[in-house]
Amino acid sequence: MDVLKHKCFLEELLFWTIKYEFPQKMVTFLLNMLPDQDYKIAFTKTFVQHYAFIMKTLKKSHESDTMSNRIVHISVQLFSNEELARQVTEECQLLDIMVTVLLYMMESCLIKSELQDEENSLHVVVNCGEALLKNNTYWPLVSDFINILSHQSVAKKFLEDHGLLVTWMNFVSFFQGMNLNKRELNEHVEFESQTYYAAFAAELEACAQPMWGLLSHCKVRETQEYTRNVVRYCLEALQDWFDAINFVDEPAPNQVTFHLPLHRYFAMFLSKAVKCQELDLDTILPDQEMLMKLMIHPLQIQASLSEIHSNMWVRNGLQIKGQAMTYVQSHFCNSMIDPDIYLLQVCASRLDPDYFISSVFERFKVVDLLTMASQHQNTVLDSEHERSMLEGALTFLVLLLSLRLHLGMTDDEILRAEMVAQLCMNDRTHSSLLDLIPENPNPKSGIIPGSLSFESVLSAVADFKAPVFEPGGSMQQGMYTPKAEVWDKEFDPVMVILRTVYRRDVQSAMDRYTAFLKQSGKFPGNPWPPYKKRTPLHPSYKGLIKLLHCKTLHIVLFTLLYKILMDHQNLSEHVLCMVLYLIELGLENSPEQESEEEESAGGQERCHDSWFPGSNLVSNMRHFINYVRVRVPETAPEVKKEPPASTSSDGLASSQCSRRKSLQRENSGTAQVFSLVAERRKKFQEIINRNTSEANQVVRPKASMKWSAPGATPQLTTAILEVKESILSLLIKLHHKLSGKQNSYYPPWLDDVDVLIHPEIPRYSHGDGMTAVERILLKAAVQSRLNKRIIEEICRKVTPPVPPKKISSAEKKTLDKEERRQKARERQQKLLAEFASRQKSFMETAMDVESPDADIAMEIATSEQHVSEAIYDCVICGQSGPSTEDRPTGLVVLLQASSVLGQCRNSTEPKKLPTTEEEQIYSKDTCAALHDVRLTTLQRYFKDSSCLQAVSIGWEGGVYVQTCGHTLHIDCHKSYMESLRNDQVLQGFSVDKGEFTCPLCRQFANSVLPCYPGNNVERSLWQSHSNKCMQDLVQEVEDLQEQLGTFPVSISSETNLSKEMESVMKDIKSTTQKKYTDYSKSPGSPDNDFLFMYSVARTNLELELVHRGGNLCSGGASTAGKRSCLNQLFHVLAMHMRLYSIDSAYNPWRKLTQPMQDKNPELISEELPEVPVLYRDVSSLLLIQILTMPQPLHKEHFTCIIKVLFTLLYTQALAALSVKCSAEDRMAWKESGALKKNTSGGEKSWEVLLGHVVSELSKGKIFEEGETEELTVVNPDSVECYLQQFCLPFLRITSLLQHHLFGGDLPSCQEDEEFTVLASCLGLLPSFQSSDQFTSASCLNWPVPAFDMISQWCSELASFAERHPDQVKALLIQEPKWDLPRLLQLPENYNTIFQYYHRKTCTVCTKVPKDPAVCLVCGTFVCLKGLCCKQQSYCECVLHSQNCGAGTGIFLLINASVIIIIRGHRFCLWGSVYLDAHGEEDRDLRRGKPLYICKERYKVLEQQWVSHTFDHINKRWGPHYNGL
């Protein structure tokens, strides 16, 4: 490196900028002047001049990341300009400087390579543990280099400059063989090194990326010279490398490196030369010896992959699996495994096929397994790994012979194949597909993801599945799934195997394929991977076909078929599948030149060579092999057999005899089969020995030593096997074996000759092993008349069963194995049966928690009149029994505060989320706000205690109780909670707050609701209709209420049950915040508790109504019949409400059923009056009446209470109506009513009653106040309709209540009949008349003369009007019509929200929040996690969730497009309701795609909010510690 000499200020400036590691201000300053052209050139030259200095500073820097970014910030501006880059290259030797600087940088971290010859190796590699590699410190320099190589003019200079190429290959060779793995054979490694990340990143960035850059300039014929240059220097570098590591012909055992960048450069430039430059491959290939050396290391990697997947490297830890996966992973595969396999394909096409095939089996260590003997010794492999290694070897051969990625496929075909492979493994989202498909076949080829061809191929092979929801609530993204015809014609298991990172993906693809075949009815069973036709080979690689037609492969195939047929150990269906695949490949690609006749004639002379006469698979298939001489351990069964006399005459056996001696010397461990291999090896040794110097011959014995380790092998002896089979006969027998029937194969062409003319029959394209065998036999017959004849002959002979002549020990073993399997199977069946019966009983208990709810109790009720007790199953101890005073049972419940009801609005149009300043949301018109106003008004004018019984609360912060329906003993539950408390690992919930998950169904819960002893549904009384008259019943109800002070004995005394009831009541109270329970003017008054308790019942009934869609038209049982806990809840509330006595003077029941005699005028002056009856909420009165009566309530009393309350409700409706209509209408009603007053049905006619109400109310000052809003048309029909609508909400609530208290289904009906159906169901309608003459008034049952009651009720209003005339009307008109609760309506496009909110200032702290969020219930804008808006340790979102939803908040995070749910002290990410055009979320807006609302998802969110199921459906909850 030259010394820097500064001549001008700019150089000085830059020097100090570098020295201080590029301060940001200096960088900005220097870059700001770039628009000046002269400065730009001067600056670039100065920058280049300081390049080495930059590298030195970068190496020393502690903040190399920041510095790297700043360097690239500058260099990208300078080097991206082609003109400038070319100028600097010419004038300042930019390329020389860059390559030298890189080389120099790497030289600082070199270590000696331990590959191959550890002691004498001269090769050095980078040390991947160094910071330089670990932290990617080199990347700014490499990225500059890649950047300038993208310019054609610069790249040309590089490719023409031989010196530069030599230096660059030197640089690349530093990475050749880095990060060497040595297999641990004894101990597990103590420390798993993670250096492989650095190694893979380095090879990809420093070697592969520049290579792709250079390749992009070698696209046309004119660039042939460049390729020749690169290949030449690449081979020189490789030769140097082989010499440096002392490599001869055997790789060192138990070592592997995944990094062979020189091999990959060589391979990729070869591929380019053939594909784009029309170069003749043979002119640039090296000699045979070099090819033999070149194939060794890539082959070693393939074998090691198989070893790693066979768990042979397990002691090296997980990192070795990580390497195997990274090597094939989508970002690396086109720079790693693809070039490796291509290089092996090139070598295979040019080398002797027998040599290549035998090398493969030797590398995979399965040579010893390939013997006909049933037992063998394997000196290099444990028997448990043999099977997977054999599968690996055969799979590798199939890959090698089937892949055409670099051998003739066009770029579009490759893209299509890659896409099909990925889609077959799993449905994919658009973005994951983009990520998984290697940029193809090199990153600069123009097929970039997202380009036109990507989209068009995608639409051709895949269907889009819109995002859907699983019932479990897990969100699905929009997925692409393969079209049916892709499964049918294009599914390619070979490509799938090549591209799978996890082995399970291959299985997943097969499972999906199986499912497709079943669904489309193409094949019912378990199919085998289909055989797929290949793209034709490019003429340059025709030699690859020779592999399929070489004797060594045929011997292996023959041997394996034989072994599978004889059930030898360590073979699998996968092995057979691959064997058949190879045979089929051979038949598909048969060499044209040899004609059949010549073969059959000249076959005899060549017989001396070995097993088969020729090398063509088609003719070898029919060649019968009679006897085989095998070497076996002395213990093997075959030894006892005498050789038959004919042995010597058999060509095969005698040829093997003559060579036995040489073989034993050569390698005694290898099976006889490979006498052939030994010969070949000798031949190639000779070639090598001629070429290599004397020195290397000394090393020779060392290499061959390990094959003849004589001490290791036990005594081997020779036996002769009688085989008498050919490949064809073995295939036919296999067919019999697979089908389990004798003579199952029948040649199809005997029935239909057309089969031979058109062999492509769809029925053979999908199927199992039998189909594959049939397909192969058909192809064999099509290709040769002789084969066809022989197949027919074999089929004519009735084949005897596969001969177990004497039961040998090996076979005995398999028989024992079968027996054992049978026994195991029986055991398993037994276990499964037992399990099934258990499961059945479990399901029954799970489904039948409240068993008396339906069938059981009904049966009992029919058999005997009194009802037996309810039986409960405890899900913890498993015992069943009734709930008793001292050992109560309880329902698992989740109590949660809810403000959902409060969000109802009285408009059907949902509110929109504001996205402009004009649109704002005011909460004045919500249900909660109006109820609030009403209570405050009442409290202003009337007595507090009476106000608190005139309304219900709980619209905001009401307590909702839900259950999963499972019961447990309360004492069992306590011990369960103790065990949870000790086991603090399960912190998805807080045990200290009483939270737990149901032991049976794992649903979230936080309390237990005790079941009242005895039967929970009063049925006997429900069945008998009482005939008592109304007056008696009214009196009975009053008497029962008088008994308030006296309780059943059990409750007054402290029992376990009453304790539990008290504790659950405490839980219910503490579920909601204090502000939602305290409405009285005097805090802590009992009236408050009283109000709270009946409001809990009201909240639960109202919510159930909402869940049913706001009406009861659908009827049926409760939403989840078994899951309703209202009955138990009523008992708990009733018990507590009876503790508060109602002062009998104020008992509302009397006001409803008796005309008051004396009015005491003095009382009024002292204190505020009571709330007039007409201002009271009838549903609240109903609950007060029911809950203060002794339980269990009789049906007749229930009906009586409803009848009385209905009269009040009806009068309220009339009063409200009278206020609404105009003065003229009022006069008209008054007169017409007075006329009919004395007719027979006067009390049941609304006209009469309305007239009476009007006349009574006119006594006060009620109608005087101003003009009223007018009902548009006051005809009888609209009046009737108004009255029905007014009464409906009460009827609905009452029907639900009756359903829960007394059982019985709700009737279903049309919407317009709802009133009549519910009225008759509640017993208000004596008999159901036809609807045309029906009026709502016919439901009235007055306990005392109607006019007296009405007059009394109206007089209360009149006296109130004296004092406060302005308030009378406002309190009378109640709007009972609420729409269902809805979330805010969101805009179609997410951008609308984002643009408005992401710069919006917060109203509280007036800053722009870092994480803005908006509440989807009320539209409030909040700062997520903002400390600015924190109040007493609560952040704003948590605070808002308490104020707006009583602890439940739904927020849209503006900058992430996701929704978070806050529930109490926990929160979870719900997902996004905005998806891109491909149906995918874009969390954190990383991909920046336009997003659109997904209405289905938003509906699901709303549904979960309304039904309070966030806790059950979303699984990933965590504590937020008030920090959101």
Side-chain angles (χ1 to χ4, degrees), residues 725-743:
E725 298 284 3
S726 66
I727 293 185
L728 286 177
S729 70
L730 287 172
L731 284 171
I732 290 169
K733 286 188 180 167
L734 259 172
H735 191 280
H736 301 168
K737 180 173 172 169
L738 289 168
S739 68
K741 293 201 279 290
Q742 281 302 311
N743 304 332

Side-chain angles (χ1 to χ4, degrees), residues 737-758:
K737 180 173 172 169
L738 289 168
S739 68
K741 293 201 279 290
Q742 281 302 311
N743 304 332
S744 57
Y745 182 71
Y746 180 71
W749 54 87
L750 296 178
D751 294 341
D752 177 10
V753 185
D754 284 355
V755 178
L756 296 172
I757 307 157
H758 313 288

Side-chain angles (χ1 to χ4, degrees), residues 1283-1316:
L1283 294 171
Q1284 286 195 23
Q1285 286 306 319
F1286 194 98
C1287 301
L1288 252 179
F1290 170 75
L1291 293 186
R1292 287 178 186 142
I1293 291 290
T1294 316
S1295 304
L1296 271 182
L1297 185 57
Q1298 173 177 294
H1299 164 71
H1300 285 297
L1301 288 177
F1302 304 104
D1305 275 357
L1306 294 163
S1308 58
C1309 56
Q1310 299 301 314
E1311 281 196 29
D1312 48 355
E1313 300 171 351
E1314 194 180 3
F1315 185 92
T1316 47

